[in-house]
Amino acid sequence: MKYLRSWLLPAIALLVAFAVGALMMKIQGANPFIAYKSLFTSAFGSSAGIAKTLGKATPLIISGLAVTICLRAGLFNIGVQGQLLAGALASAWAGYAIKGLPTIIHLPLALLFGVFFGALTGIIAGALKAFRGVHEVITTIMLNSIVLQLGEYLAYGPFKEPGQQLARTPEVLNSAKIPQIFGMPLGFFLGVALAVIAWWVFKTTTSGFRMETVGRNKSAAWYAGISVKRSILISMFVGGALAGLGGAIETLGVVGRYEPAFNGGIGFDGITIALLGRANPLAVIPGSILFGGMRGAGASMQFTAGVSPDIIDLILAIVLFLVTAPLIGKMIKSIRDTEQITTGGWGN
Amino acid sequence: MSALLELTNITKTYPGVIANENISLSVTKGEIVALLGENGAGKSTLVKAVFGLVRPDSGEIRIKGDLISAGDTAAAIEHGVGMVHQHFQLVPVMSVTENIILGDEPRKGIFIDKKKAREEVVALSKRYGLEVDPDAIVEDLPVGMQQRIEILKALRKDVDLLILDEPTAVLTPQEIEELLGVIKNLASAGVGVLFITHKLREVMAVADRVVVLRNGKTAGATTPKETNEEGLAQLMVGRNVVLQVDKSDAVKQGIVLSIRDLQANDDRKHTAVDGFSLDVHAGEIMGIAGVEGNGQRELVEAICGMRPRLMGSVLVDGLETPDMQPHKVHRMGISHIPEDREKHGLVASYSIEDNLVLNQFDQPPFANGWIRNSNALEQNANTLVEEFDIRTPSIKTTAGALSGGNKQKVVVARELSQNTKVVVAAQPTRGVDVGSIEFIHKQLVSARDHGAAVLLVSAELDEILSLSDRIAVMFGGKIVAILDGKDADRAKIGRMMAGLAS
């Protein structure tokens, strides 16, 4: 029953979003069935399609996890995008600027650069929260802008590819590129493994219990001897590291360099996926596959049904709205209910 | 003579809870009716329905014979109903006069006519014999006086029926006596009074009639002449309750907990604990009596490492406990039943199983290194649920789903099941049903009998009196006196609690 209820909301959110999407297509005079069918077959109907879907899902699964872990620890990390860009930028630099290393050293090193700078971006917000009490939503949004602008400056300036008009870094060396097997980036399987590890950590380890206790009741956590500050720092560090890894994988496996225009909304899709999965690390896996499919195959609807792929943005935005709105409604309702039922007594 | 207030078959349900079921009740002019019941019996819901703050599902409310539609607060006020809430609704920085006239100010043009307002307050205070200083600032006044202002505020609107929701909960024994006097005066002036309480003594002292609620139903209606405290208690809980705790004499051993010159501030950085020293022996219950707000909360938190100690020390078996590290203090043998169990004692969305190990989840056998041991957790939970009579469908049920009494039993089970030298119990039975109170009291006595030093802090003097082997009276952050529990006299303690010389 409880299991069912927890999946009801995401299911309804998806259904409603697809229904509204269909309605919009209908208004445009397109056939939503053909559009959705082509979306589905293009995303999952062939091995090439599946490879593309999983490729798109890779940064999503990792950034979804980054948000999920922070959510479990009671933090709303809206800064995945910034952490991801920091990771992308750092790994791109390590990928083209460090020369003469074999793949077995160069690739992990470049990934590590991404992880480290992502984590650094995350822990700035974590430290501000832990030591100064600044709300993480504010700081992570600000950091998103800072990293974006910094990346643009570097890509136009010091990191710019020589003789190139566009703002972008040189291409990473082959020794830092992620090899493809069956045309599928290895990153996705790493993402799945990380999701399973995260699930296990929360389910069975004392560290997971510590973080989760802080997420649910800070006062009780402190009373029980759990350091709230440490938990905030750790979760923002891990979240940032994951997001940075996501950015690095995208850079070293797909894009091949840093360019400011790339990967616009991966971090934000990660937020939707995490909320849709109700902060369950395992739920991030199907969520990212679904979103990856839609992102990867959206263009197919243009050919078959004449539907602009922008409709995908609309559908995903509705999903985000629906998974967040009830949380707010529930909050308001619970406040009202406690006011009414509380009868007090014993001077309480 | 027609009744001032007549309730017929009032029913109100909340999702999953029947707050009131077919309750009928009446109050006539000049009559004092006590509404008695345990927490959660439906008393507050019922009076809120009278005042229009709660909309009953069915039933009839008549005031002075007129049918009042459900949820119509304006009509209730128009018909002369006044209500004094449990939580005062005063503006602390304004004067007594300003607070009393608030919402219906006498005016001179667009300005408040302050002179007239003051005169009005003085006249009101004379008329009902409720002395107040019209110019005093509310936050400077003691709680009893603040309540008096609330009552005057209500009376100002020509009230015929005054409803008092748990009026004595925050008062000292002396203030309670005064309030009961005021209630009697009001009644002889012709005001009908409906007052809510769960304190039997007050009912016996002033009520003309008593209506007892139990689980949302009328358990009985009687008069103080026809019954006694035991009889009322039985009606409240539906069975015999031992009001006096059964306990043998304390077998006092060596000093375990030693508090030396402790000093701590409250949240507003004012001195709350002011040079507090106390020794508690193994095998005794030391009760701290005092009106709330005299530093008890800060004392408990400072002892347990949850509030900075500005000066002084807390020793367990001669070893100094660390400041601001609740966990380490706990490890040194001080168990703590916190006053605010929802905030500190429990994680509402965690299972009972997890809550029962909240401050030892990383210790063997509950964890082997980094990995939690689910078998040990289950075993521990099953044992404690059985032993501490926690009523729950399952150990996987979330703590938030339990009743107040069972939540508290989870906290008590966790704290008392560990090998502990000292038990600090802060308001351990607040907001808890009578059955659980009895059980928790027994557990505290049994902890004592097993050699623990128990420090009991409670705003309920009856609880202190019935449990304590020794009683320390606290006033203004200091100990005023330490008395032997056996020959403690309620009136004398009351005077000390109020800061009057013994």
Side-chain angles (χ1 to χ4, degrees), chain A residues 90-161:
Chain A
S91 64
W93 180 84
Y96 78 79
I98 302 172
K99 297 186 173 75
L101 295 173
T103 295
I104 192 133
I105 296 172
H106 197 184
L107 175 58
L109 185 74
L111 283 172
L112 212 64
F113 259 75
V115 169
F116 177 77
F117 279 90
L120 189 71
T121 313
I123 209 166
I124 291 173
L128 284 168
K129 168 100 181 181
F131 300 113
R132 308 295 313 161
V134 191
H135 201 282
E136 74 279 4
V137 168
I138 311 277
T139 51
T140 52
I141 288 177
M142 288 163 85
L143 280 164
N144 279 347
S145 289
I146 292 171
V147 175
L148 185 70
Q149 300 301 329
L150 187 71
E152 235 166 88
Y153 160 73
L154 291 173
Y156 268 113
F159 290 2
K160 193 164 185 295
E161 186 178 11

Side-chain angles (χ1 to χ4, degrees), chain A residues 36-289:
Chain A
Y36 282 144
K37 193 172 165 231
S38 76
L39 181 69
F40 185 81
T41 45
S42 159
F44 304 106
S46 65
S47 57
I50 290 174
K52 188 172 184 195
T53 294
L54 295 188
K56 287 277 177 191
T58 304
L60 295 179
I61 192 173
I62 296 177
S63 60
L65 266 182
V67 181
T68 295
I69 285 170
C70 293
L71 276 180
R72 290 292 276 264
L75 297 166
F76 195 22
N77 179 8
I78 304 202
V80 226
Q81 182 69 16
Q83 294 145 19
L84 185 133
L85 289 181
L89 190 62
S91 64
W93 180 84
Y96 78 79
I98 302 172
K99 297 186 173 75
L101 295 173
T103 295
I104 192 133
I105 296 172
H106 197 184
L107 175 58
L109 185 74
L111 283 172
L112 212 64
F113 259 75
V115 169
F116 177 77
F117 279 90
L120 189 71
T121 313
I123 209 166
I124 291 173
L128 284 168
K129 168 100 181 181
F131 300 113
R132 308 295 313 161
V134 191
H135 201 282
E136 74 279 4
V137 168
I138 311 277
T139 51
T140 52
I141 288 177
M142 288 163 85
L143 280 164
N144 279 347
S145 289
I146 292 171
V147 175
L148 185 70
Q149 300 301 329
L150 187 71
E152 235 166 88
Y153 160 73
L154 291 173
Y156 268 113
F159 290 2
K160 193 164 185 295
E161 186 178 11
Q164 172 58 250
Q165 287 300 305
L166 294 170
R168 64 181 206 190
T169 66
E171 192 173 358
V172 298
L173 304 175
N174 279 333
S175 57
K177 280 190 178 158
I178 299 172
Q180 312 246 319
I181 36 166
F182 311 121
M184 202 183 284
L186 280 172
F188 183 76
F189 300 104
L190 180 63
V192 171
L194 288 171
V196 174
I197 290 171
W199 170 80
W200 177 81
V201 164
F202 280 111
K203 190 178 153 61
T204 56
T205 71
T206 53
S207 305
F209 188 78
R210 271 195 192 96
M211 263 200 228
E212 188 141 13
T213 307
V214 171
R216 290 170 187 240
N217 184 341
K218 287 190 178 49
S219 307
W222 182 64
Y223 164 80
I226 299 166
S227 167
V228 175
K229 284 181 182 148
R230 214 174 93 183
S231 172
I232 289 171
L233 290 174
I234 290 176
S235 55
M236 281 307 291
F237 184 86
V238 174
L242 280 172
L245 178 67
I249 289 175
E250 186 72 357
T251 300
L252 305 173
V254 182
V255 185
R257 57 159 53 87
Y258 183 84
E259 32 190 331
F262 109 112
N263 61 31
I266 292 172
F268 298 107
D269 279 351
I271 295 171
T272 314
I273 290 168
L275 290 172
L276 191 64
R278 315 206 84 184
N280 180 341
L282 292 182
V284 168
I285 301 171
S288 64
I289 294 173

Side-chain angles (χ1 to χ4, degrees), chain B residues 19-281:
Chain B
N20 290 155
E21 192 177 345
N22 284 327
I23 296 179
S24 301
L25 167 124
S26 71
V27 183
T28 56
K29 207 164 171 294
E31 189 182 33
I32 303 172
V33 178
L35 195 54
L36 182 71
E38 290 189 79
N39 294 305
K43 299 167 298 191
S44 282
T45 307
L46 187 67
V47 294
K48 280 182 183 156
V50 174
F51 200 59
L53 296 173
V54 161
R55 197 181 281 268
D57 304 333
S58 64
E60 220 180 69
I61 302 169
R62 278 180 190 277
I63 305 177
K64 296 179 185 165
D66 294 345
L67 191 64
I68 304 288
S69 56
D72 194 345
T73 308
I77 293 172
E78 222 167 83
H79 280 77
V81 179
M83 184 158 172
V84 175
H85 295 269
Q86 198 175 21
H87 302 283
F88 299 158
Q89 305 186 333
L90 299 171
V91 185
V93 294
M94 297 208 322
S95 75
V96 170
T97 301
E98 285 166 333
N99 267 288
I100 293 177
I101 61 161
L102 194 68
D104 185 17
E105 306 88 356
R107 284 164 199 276
K108 200 194 268 173
I110 58 161
F111 299 104
I112 294 173
D113 187 343
K114 288 198 173 161
K115 202 172 144 233
K116 195 172 164 215
R118 192 177 185 283
E119 280 165 8
E120 209 179 295
V121 169
V122 172
L124 189 68
S125 138
K126 277 222 181 89
R127 184 171 148 203
Y128 291 102
L130 287 165
E131 269 175 56
V132 288
D133 173 2
D135 305 315
I137 301 298
V138 164
E139 66 182 349
D140 299 336
L141 298 174
V143 181
M145 197 52 84
Q146 294 187 8
Q147 185 175 57
R148 191 171 280 194
I149 296 161
E150 281 280 12
I151 295 173
L152 281 173
K153 219 170 94 182
L155 290 174
R156 178 160 173 259
K157 291 166 187 146
D158 289 324
V159 161
D160 298 308
L161 175 69
L162 186 65
I163 300 171
L164 300 163
D165 189 355
E166 300 260 5
T168 59
V170 289
L171 303 184
T172 63
Q174 268 70 27
E175 287 172 332
I176 291 174
E177 290 311 316
E178 281 174 34
L179 175 71
L180 296 182
V182 167
I183 290 176
K184 277 184 190 161
N185 283 344
L186 288 175
S188 53
V191 178
V193 179
L194 178 62
F195 89 103
I196 295 186
T197 184
H198 57 248
K199 294 181 186 167
L200 308 171
R201 257 168 26 83
E202 295 162 8
V203 174
M204 296 303 292
V206 294
D208 296 315
R209 286 193 297 122
V210 196
V211 174
V212 184
L213 297 190
R214 185 169 76 228
N215 292 332
K217 295 179 202 144
T218 312
T222 177
T223 65
K225 286 191 190 100
E226 294 168 308
T227 184
N228 54 21
E229 292 190 25
E230 271 70 26
L232 289 175
Q234 267 184 48
L235 280 177
M236 265 169 84
V237 299
R239 62 191 166 84
N240 269 313
V241 189
V242 191
L243 275 178
Q244 199 59 39
V245 179
D246 265 335
K247 65 179 172 84
S248 52
D249 288 344
V251 186
K252 219 158 100 174
Q253 300 151 41
I255 293 168
V256 182
L257 175 69
S258 185
I259 305 161
R260 292 269 153 273
D261 300 318
L262 195 62
Q263 201 169 325
N265 281 348
D266 62 16
D267 294 335
R268 292 179 302 171
K269 309 257 181 267
H270 297 153
T271 305
V273 180
D274 191 7
F276 186 101
S277 297
L278 184 68
D279 288 328
V280 188
H281 294 257

Side-chain angles (χ1 to χ4, degrees), chain A residues 200 204-207 209-210 212-213 216-217 219-220 222-226 340-348, chain B residues 39-40 44 86 169 198 306 326-327 336 342-344 346-347 349-350 358 361-362 370-372 415 430 437 460:
Chain A
W200 177 81
T204 56
T205 71
T206 53
S207 305
F209 188 78
R210 271 195 192 96
E212 188 141 13
T213 307
R216 290 170 187 240
N217 184 341
S219 307
W222 182 64
Y223 164 80
I226 299 166
Q340 282 186 346
I341 294 177
T342 305
T343 51
W346 286 70
N348 203 356
Chain B
N39 294 305
S44 282
Q86 198 175 21
H198 57 248
M306 296 172 68
H327 197 45
H336 177 201
E342 310 276 342
K343 189 175 169 198
H344 292 117
L346 295 168
V347 177
S349 56
Y350 269 168
L358 205 55
F361 68 93
D362 53 355
W370 198 43
I371 308 296
R372 304 182 71 212
E415 296 303 320
R430 172 169 286 178
I437 289 175
E460 295 293 329

